Amino acid sequence: MSSRSIRQASVLRHSALALALAFGLGGTGVVLAQSTTGNIFGTAQPGDTVQISGSTGITREVPVDASGRYQFNNLPVGSYQVDLKRNGAVVDSRKNVNLTVGKGSDVSFNAPAAAGNAQSLESVTVTANSLPPVDVSTVDSRTVITSEQLAKLPLARTAEAIALLAPGAVQGSGYFSGPTGNALVSIGGGSVTENAYYINGFNTTDPISGFGGITLPYGAIDQQEVLAGGYGAAYGRSAGGVISQVGKRGTNEWHFGAQVLWEPRGTRSSPVNDHYIVSGDNTNAGEIYNYNKKDTQMRTVESAYVGGPLIKDKLYIFLAAEQERVNQDRYTSQDSPAYYDRTYRNPKFYGKIDWNINDSNILEVTGASNKQNYDANVYGFDYSTLQRGASRGKDTSGNPLNKAGADLFTAKFTSYITDDLTLSVLYGKMHGTYYTQVPDTDVPHIITPNNQDPSLNGGAPITNENPTTRVLDPKHKSTNTNLRVDLSYHIGDHTITAGIDNQDVRDKDDGTGTSGPGYAWEYGVHDPNTPIAGAPGGSTYVAAPGGDGYYVDRYIYDARASVRVKQRAQYIEDAWQIDDRWLVKIGVRNDQFTNYNGVSQPYLRLTTPQWAPRLGATWDVNGDSSLKIYANAGRYYLALPSSVALRSAGQSLFTREYFTYTGIDAQGIPTGLTPIETATGGPISSNREYGLPRDPKTAASSNLKSEYQDEFILGFDKTLGDKWVYGAKATVRKLKNAIDDVGDADTIMAALVRQGVDPATIGPIQGSYLFNPGRANDFQVPNLNGGYYTAHVTNKDFGFPHLKRNYYGLEMYLEHPFDGKWYGKLDYLYSKSYGNSEGQVRSDIGQEDVSATVDWDYPQFMVYSGGELSNSRKHVIKAYGSYQLADEWMLSGNVTVASGAPKSCLGYFGADESDPTGYGSYYHYCYGEASPPGAVGHNPWTFLVDLSAEYRPVWADKKLAFNVTVFNVLNQRERLATYPQAGQVGAIDPNYRTTLFQTTPRYARFGVTYDF
C-alpha cells in the first residue's frame, strides 16, 4: 500500500537446492548459531581423559574415544584450562583457552607426556591466539567481535555499528531506525526488517515490525557475533542476518569499573546546507532546501559494572548500567520547516546470575533493559529570513517515540546429563513500551505546503502548530515470550541435536490515526486537463483539477488494533564426523506461523509443514587446521510481524476527498472549497480502505505461502605462515517467495466474471489482499447469496513480472590475529543485489509498511521495476585493527570504503505521464521515459576513516585509561540518498534529487576509563 504521504511519516524446488541436498552441503559445525556457548575439541591418545576447568567454576571431564578424539559441547564462553590425564594424573595442560561464541577451539595433545613429567608440564601456557586460527568445526559465515576488541576499536556504541565490521553488512536507509533510535543495517542483500537480534540466546527482535531489536549496554557485551548466513536448523526467522550478543558474567575474581565519554559540540564540523537541484522548470533551484548549517549535537555517556563470586566456584553475579544523554539542535526542510531543540536520555541495564548447581547442572538468569526517552521543543522557522519563529509546543510526531524500549527477563537451565547427553531449556519474556504524547491541538496538519497555489499564500508556504500527520496510540505495549528446548546426544561419530523454538507476540493498542480533528489537508498540483487519478469508470477515478492545476485533499487515516502472532518450530540435526578431516551436518527445520487480527481471529495460518533443510560440510584438508574448505546450502523462512494486521486484516480507514480552493487562511487551511468529481462522489481510497471490518477470510489469498530464501555458500580459510590467515567465500541468495499486498480489485472481479460468476452476486472486494507476488493466487470474495467465491487469478491476469531478488557476493580477506602487539583485518567484498523487490520495506521512498509496500499494489508499479536494489553496494572495502605502539599507548583504526547506492527517479506512468492508480509520482518512469532502479546512476563513493588513541599509564597500574576517538577524520560529506520523486513535466517536484541523508560530519569523543 502507499500514499503520497509515505515520505512523511510449497514443496522444495527441484533445481539447485535439490542438487545441493544430494551432495550434502550446508549447515554449521557442532556449535549452534546464535548460541551463548562455544566448544573445545581435539585429539589425544585413546584411553586418556581430558578435564576442563573454567573461570566461572565449571569443571567437566570426558574420555578420549577409540578414534583418539574428544569434545566438550555447549560450554559458556570464558577462559578455560584443559588438562590431559592418564591414570588419574595430569600429564599435559593448556591454559588460558578463551572460547569464542559459536566456534570451536582445537586443543590437541598429539604427543602426550609421561605421568612422571606432569609437574613441569602443568606450567605450559597455550593461549587462544597460539591455537590453530582456522576453526574446522564450523562452516557458517560468522564474524565475532570480542569485548577486548570493542574496548580498542573506534566504533559508535551500538550493535549495528559493530555489525558493520562484518562482510556483507551495509548501512540501512536513514528513514529506518530501531526501537530505541539506532540506525539499522542490511546484511547479505536482505531488507532491514529481515535480521534477527539475540541477547544470551533470547530473540529480542522488534516484534512489531522487525525494525532492529533490544541490545546490551556496550560495556556489558562479552562477544557479539554477526551471521551472514549458513547457520544450522536450530535457528530461523531471518532472511538477512543475525546479530547475537552474549553478555558478560561473573568469575572467581571480583572486577569493577566505570567509564565517562564526552562528545562536545565544539569538535563537530559544521554541516553543509542542502539546496534544491536544477531540474527542468524547477523554480526553486539553487534555494536552500534544508538549513543544516547550524545543526549541532553533544553526547555524554556514563557507565559502570561490577562482577564476581557470591559463592566461589558456585554462584556469580554481574551487573552493568549505562546512561546516554544527547542534546541536538535540528532544522527541518522546507517541506515542513521547523527548529527542534531535542533531548534524548537512553538508559540501559544488564544483570546476570550464574549458579553452578553442581558439575552437571547450570542455571543462568538474565535481566536487561534498553530504553529511550525523547523530548523536544518545536519552533517555527522562516526560510525567507532563516530565523526561528514562535514555539509550537512539544514534538508529538512519534518519530522518534517519546518513550520506547523493552525490559527482558530470561532463565536458562543446562544439564550435562551424561558425558554424551546435554539438555538446555531457555524461557523468557520481553515487555515493550511505545509511548508518544498526543498533540494538544484541534488544528489539522498541513501536508506538502510547497504545493500551495503561490498566488494565494503570498509566495511562501503557510503551515501551523500541528507538527505531524499521524499520531500513535499512547497505550501501545507488547509482550514477547520465547521458549527453547534443545537436546544434544553424542554417539560414536554423530552428534544429534533436536528441539523446539516457540515464540508468542501480543501487540496491544497498536496503530495510528490522523492528528488534530482527525483529518489533514494535503496540497497538490497536477496537469489541469488530465485526471488526477485513474480514468472515468474506474474505482480510483479523480477528475482533472482545471484552472492552474492546484487542488487539495482532505486526508484521513486510522488503523488501530490489538493483535497477536504465534510462531512454532521444531528441528533435528546430525553433525557427523566422518573421519579426522571431514565433518558433514544434515538438518531440517519446520516452522509454523499464525497471525491473528484485532478480534483474535486467525487471518494467516501458515502451519502446514514448511521444511527448511540445512546441509553442510567442512574439510580439514591437511589434517592440522591450516586449510579448511567448507560449503553449505539452506532454506530460511520468515514470519510476518504483528503490525501487518493493522491494515491488511483490521478495520483500516485511508481516504482522500478532493477539492479546488480559492483561498488559504493563516493556519494553512484551504477556503472556498469546490468538490472535484470522483468515482464515489466523495472520498476515494486507492486500496478500498473505507473503515469497514475486515473478514479474516478476505485478508489474504487462501493458498498463501510464507516468505523464504535459498542460500548457497562455498569458501575456504587458510593459514599463511604462523602469523596470518586469509580466505575467500562466494555467496548466492535467492528470494524464492515473498508476501506483499495487492490492491487491484478490478482484476479480481474480472477473474470471477471469466469463471462464469454473475457480477450481480459478487460482494464488495477489499483492497490490499496479502498475496504471493509473481504467482497464481486464490482469493475469497463474498457471495451476496451467502458463502464465498474463489477467484483464481494468475500472475498473467494481474500483469505482474515474476518476483526476483538475487544477491551475489564474493569476499576475500586477510587477517593478522592479535599477537600481543597488533591485530588487523582487511576485507574486500564485491556484491550485487538486483531484482524487482527489496523485500518487506522500500528504502528509496522510506516506506515502513512491512509486507505492504507500493510494489505489487497494481501492475503499473512493476513496469520497469527490475534493477539494482537499494541495499546494493557493489564494492566495499573494510579494514580495522589495533597496534600497541608502546607499553602505555594503543592506536586503532577503522576504515570503510564503499561504492554508492543506486538512485531512482520515480514519476507518473507512461509516456503520457498519467496516474491510473491515484498514487501519484511512484511509477518507474522519469518525465515520460522508462526509469528502472539505478538507471539514473549511483550516489558517490564514501571514504570513512575513524581513528583512536589510548593512553594507559603504568603509574596507575594500567587500570586507568584516557582515550580520544575521531570519527570521519577526513570530514567527507557525501550523499547517501536523494529524494526520488520527480513529479511530471510542467509540474516538477521541487524536492527531486535533493539530499535526504549524508555521512555524519567529523566529530571527536573523549573518554576516561577505570577497570579494577
Side-chain angles (χ1 to χ4, degrees):
M1 304 174 209
S2 175
S3 75
R4 281 161 292 181
S5 60
I6 285 176
R7 183 175 180 218
Q8 296 173 297
S10 234
V11 177
L12 296 178
R13 295 198 49 180
H14 303 294
S15 55
L17 182 60
L19 182 62
L21 296 174
F23 281 101
L25 303 178
T28 65
V30 176
V31 182
L32 303 178
Q34 295 109 270
S35 71
T36 61
T37 62
N39 68 45
I40 294 173
F41 66 94
T43 59
Q45 183 173 310
D48 290 347
T49 60
V50 179
Q51 176 180 290
I52 59 168
S53 303
S55 57
T56 56
I58 295 174
T59 301
R60 290 184 62 198
E61 186 173 324
V62 297
V64 180
D65 64 24
S67 62
R69 298 185 64 85
Y70 76 91
Q71 65 183 39
F72 294 92
N73 294 332
N74 302 308
L75 296 176
V77 294
S79 179
Y80 288 83
Q81 176 172 317
V82 184
D83 297 322
L84 178 68
K85 299 174 72 174
R86 180 176 301 153
N87 300 323
V90 175
V91 296
D92 206 347
S93 295
R94 304 289 189 267
K95 295 182 179 180
N96 301 326
V97 177
N98 294 308
L99 292 192
T100 300
V101 64
K103 293 188 175 183
S105 292
D106 185 348
V107 183
S108 292
F109 302 90
N110 294 319
N117 296 326
Q119 185 65 34
S120 63
L121 287 170
E122 284 185 353
S123 64
V124 172
T125 298
V126 179
T127 67
N129 300 307
S130 58
L131 293 169
V134 174
D135 177 16
V136 297
S137 69
T138 60
V139 298
D140 52 36
S141 301
R142 182 189 308 260
T143 299
V144 179
I145 305 298
T146 66
S147 58
E148 290 81 7
Q149 292 172 300
L150 293 178
K152 299 171 184 174
L153 294 174
L155 298 171
R157 296 169 64 87
T158 67
E160 292 79 13
I162 303 170
L164 287 173
L165 296 175
V170 299
Q171 185 174 335
S173 168
Y175 278 121
F176 307 132
S177 60
T180 57
N182 290 349
L184 301 179
V185 296
S186 165
I187 299 177
S191 73
V192 295
T193 62
E194 296 175 14
N195 302 321
Y197 285 66
Y198 287 82
I199 290 178
N200 288 352
F202 181 92
N203 191 329
T204 67
T205 311
D206 168 37
I208 308 304
S209 299
F211 288 102
I214 300 303
T215 59
L216 291 171
Y218 198 79
I221 302 171
D222 190 344
Q223 299 180 22
Q224 176 172 313
E225 60 177 341
V226 182
L227 289 108
Y231 50 87
Y235 290 88
R237 301 169 192 154
S238 166
V242 174
I243 298 175
S244 178
Q245 294 183 332
V246 176
K248 293 179 179 178
R249 60 178 64 207
T251 65
N252 272 326
E253 294 183 1
W254 281 99
H255 293 276
F256 64 85
Q259 183 179 56
V260 177
L261 300 172
W262 180 40
E263 297 172 9
R265 281 188 171 91
T267 66
R268 181 174 287 260
S269 297
S270 297
V272 179
N273 291 335
D274 297 325
H275 293 79
Y276 288 104
I277 306 298
V278 176
S279 178
D281 58 356
N282 183 2
T283 58
N284 299 78
E287 295 180 8
I288 295 176
Y289 165 69
N290 199 339
Y291 186 64
N292 295 326
K293 185 177 181 180
K294 291 189 177 181
D295 286 356
T296 66
Q297 177 174 296
M298 180 182 72
R299 186 195 314 266
T300 58
V301 180
E302 300 103 13
S303 61
Y305 72 89
V306 62
L310 297 176
I311 303 175
K312 193 171 183 179
D313 293 330
K314 182 66 66 173
L315 189 64
Y316 304 88
I317 190 171
F318 186 90
L319 300 172
E322 175 181 292
Q323 173 77 290
E324 177 187 60
R325 294 181 179 87
V326 180
N327 297 101
Q328 291 179 340
D329 298 296
R330 288 289 185 268
Y331 294 83
T332 55
S333 72
Q334 289 209 44
D335 283 348
S336 184
Y339 161 70
Y340 287 73
D341 178 10
R342 295 175 172 174
T343 301
Y344 298 84
R345 184 172 58 83
N346 303 330
K348 289 185 177 182
F349 301 99
Y350 170 72
K352 192 168 192 292
I353 294 176
D354 294 273
W355 179 22
N356 298 332
I357 302 171
N358 52 41
D359 289 345
S360 300
N361 297 284
I362 302 171
L363 178 64
E364 307 170 48
V365 178
T366 297
S369 178
N370 186 181
K371 300 288 183 65
Q372 175 175 272
N373 298 281
Y374 166 75
D375 181 68
N377 297 308
V378 185
Y379 301 84
F381 186 74
D382 188 341
Y383 264 87
S384 63
T385 63
L386 299 181
Q387 296 296 314
R388 189 176 79 179
S391 172
R392 294 182 179 176
K394 296 291 186 179
D395 181 7
T396 57
S397 64
N399 186 26
L401 300 170
N402 295 113
K403 293 182 181 179
D407 298 308
L408 168 68
F409 172 84
T410 71
K412 180 182 178 183
F413 174 72
T414 303
S415 179
Y416 305 105
I417 300 171
T418 69
D419 291 341
D420 298 317
L421 184 63
T422 302
L423 172 68
S424 175
V425 180
L426 181 145
Y427 177 81
K429 282 192 174 185
M430 185 172 74
H431 297 280
T433 299
Y434 315 84
Y435 172 78
T436 294
Q437 182 179 343
V438 177
D440 184 19
T441 178
D442 290 329
V443 179
H445 177 68
I446 304 302
I447 305 173
T448 56
N450 280 348
N451 288 330
Q452 292 172 350
D453 186 339
S455 67
L456 300 177
N457 66 5
I462 303 175
T463 59
N464 56 52
E465 70 272 17
N466 188 341
T468 182
T469 307
R470 301 179 186 179
V471 290
L472 301 167
D473 193 321
K475 301 187 297 296
H476 185 196
K477 294 183 180 296
S478 70
T479 301
N480 178 17
T481 304
N482 197 188
L483 170 66
R484 287 196 58 93
V485 179
D486 303 284
L487 188 65
S488 179
Y489 180 54
H490 178 70
I491 179 171
D493 296 327
H494 300 266
T495 300
I496 300 172
T497 308
I500 62 172
D501 178 11
N502 295 343
Q503 192 168 354
D504 288 282
V505 172
R506 293 184 179 272
D507 184 15
K508 304 173 184 176
D509 299 313
D510 195 357
T512 61
T514 314
S515 64
Y519 61 86
W521 289 106
E522 182 177 29
Y523 286 93
V525 59
H526 191 79
D527 184 330
N529 301 312
T530 61
I532 295 173
S539 61
T540 63
Y541 173 66
V542 181
D548 292 329
Y550 291 97
Y551 67 92
V552 70
D553 66 73
R554 183 186 283 118
Y555 170 105
I556 297 178
Y557 180 90
D558 195 284
R560 318 176 200 224
S562 294
V563 296
R564 182 162 62 99
V565 179
K566 182 171 68 175
Q567 303 175 26
R568 299 288 183 265
Q570 309 80 39
Y571 78 93
I572 187 169
E573 199 158 53
D574 179 19
W576 179 18
Q577 190 71 52
I578 298 176
D579 57 27
D580 290 344
R581 302 190 181 191
W582 279 94
L583 171 70
V584 173
K585 194 166 186 181
I586 305 172
V588 65
R589 178 183 176 93
N590 180 26
D591 280 289
Q592 305 98 46
F593 311 130
T594 305
N595 291 56
Y596 297 85
N597 63 16
V599 290
S600 297
Q601 297 172 317
Y603 69 93
L604 283 183
R605 284 187 182 273
L606 304 174
T607 56
T608 55
Q610 299 183 129
W611 301 113
R614 314 284 172 82
L615 304 171
T618 174
W619 177 27
D620 182 4
V621 179
N622 299 320
D624 58 0
S625 299
S626 63
L627 172 60
K628 177 182 76 171
I629 297 177
Y630 61 96
N632 60 65
R635 174 164 290 181
Y636 302 86
Y637 281 91
L638 191 66
L640 286 180
S642 62
S643 62
V644 176
L646 299 179
R647 292 181 68 181
S648 296
Q651 192 172 336
S652 60
L653 174 64
F654 191 7
T655 63
R656 289 180 170 89
E657 189 172 5
Y658 294 82
F659 304 89
T660 57
Y661 57 97
T662 59
I664 302 173
D665 70 14
Q667 300 287 341
I669 299 171
T671 60
L673 299 176
T674 300
I676 297 174
E677 180 188 355
T678 68
T680 64
I684 287 289
S685 175
S686 296
N687 287 296
R688 302 195 181 193
E689 296 176 82
Y690 290 103
L692 302 175
R694 189 68 177 260
D695 183 342
K697 291 182 180 294
T698 67
S701 65
S702 58
N703 60 340
L704 190 77
K705 304 297 182 184
S706 292
E707 178 175 333
Y708 70 89
Q709 178 172 268
D710 288 343
E711 176 186 79
F712 310 90
I713 296 175
L714 175 66
F716 77 90
D717 299 308
K718 176 73 170 65
T719 57
L720 182 62
D722 59 355
K723 298 288 187 182
W724 297 83
V725 184
Y726 69 98
K729 179 187 70 177
T731 301
V732 177
R733 286 179 156 189
K734 292 180 178 288
L735 186 66
K736 292 293 188 177
N737 198 46
I739 296 177
D740 212 298
D741 70 327
V742 62
D744 192 358
D746 292 341
T747 295
I748 297 175
M749 169 73 82
L752 285 174
V753 173
R754 284 198 306 272
Q755 292 171 205
V757 175
D758 181 359
T761 64
I762 299 174
I765 301 177
Q766 298 276 9
S768 67
Y769 274 93
L770 292 173
F771 83 131
N772 294 133
R775 297 175 179 266
N777 286 262
D778 294 331
F779 301 95
Q780 298 293 297
V781 177
N783 180 342
L784 293 179
N785 296 323
Y788 300 87
Y789 292 119
T790 297
H792 179 75
V793 187
T794 67
N795 194 52
K796 184 178 180 180
D797 291 337
F798 276 126
F800 287 132
H802 291 292
L803 171 77
K804 177 181 284 189
R805 187 184 80 185
N806 293 344
Y807 172 85
Y808 299 95
L810 176 62
E811 176 207 357
M812 295 173 283
Y813 77 92
L814 177 66
E815 184 175 14
H816 183 282
F818 187 66
D819 59 0
K821 187 72 173 178
W822 72 285
Y823 166 83
K825 185 174 183 180
L826 174 65
D827 190 282
Y828 168 72
L829 177 69
Y830 171 81
S831 65
K832 185 177 180 181
S833 183
Y834 68 93
N836 52 30
S837 177
E838 179 184 337
Q840 294 184 329
V841 295
R842 267 191 65 172
S843 295
D844 58 345
I845 57 175
Q847 188 169 17
E848 299 180 351
D849 298 312
V850 176
S851 290
T853 67
V854 176
D855 298 340
W856 313 104
D857 278 12
Y858 291 91
Q860 292 89 343
F861 294 121
M862 302 309 295
V863 176
Y864 297 113
S865 60
E868 193 175 357
L869 298 173
S870 294
N871 295 325
S872 180
R873 307 290 186 276
K874 287 187 177 180
H875 305 278
V876 179
I877 301 171
K878 299 180 181 182
Y880 58 91
S882 58
Y883 180 70
Q884 193 73 48
L885 181 66
D887 188 39
E888 297 178 318
W889 288 92
M890 171 74 72
L891 303 179
S892 61
N894 181 24
V895 178
T896 302
V897 180
S899 56
K903 294 189 293 186
S904 294
C905 179
L906 304 175
Y908 284 78
F909 185 75
D912 61 350
E913 297 189 276
S914 63
D915 185 12
T917 67
Y919 281 35
S921 185
Y922 283 94
Y923 307 94
H924 292 283
Y925 282 87
C926 189
Y927 304 130
E929 301 290 334
S931 181
V936 292
H938 292 70
N939 288 302
W941 282 64
T942 55
F943 301 83
L944 300 179
V945 180
D946 306 326
L947 298 176
S948 180
E950 181 184 81
Y951 172 57
R952 194 173 286 271
V954 173
W955 54 261
D957 200 23
K958 294 192 175 181
K959 294 181 173 64
L960 181 66
F962 302 91
N963 178 280
V964 59
T965 302
V966 181
F967 295 92
N968 192 6
V969 172
L970 303 179
N971 197 31
Q972 190 199 44
R973 304 304 311 282
E974 292 291 1
R975 299 186 307 275
L976 299 176
T978 57
Y979 188 69
Q981 290 162 269
Q984 59 188 156
V985 174
I988 301 294
D989 191 323
N991 294 335
Y992 175 53
R993 294 171 56 200
T994 55
T995 299
L996 293 172
F997 308 103
Q998 56 183 269
T999 53
T1000 303
R1002 179 176 55 224
Y1003 68 99
R1005 182 178 71 196
F1006 301 93
V1008 180
T1009 304
Y1010 184 81
D1011 297 285
F1012 179 81

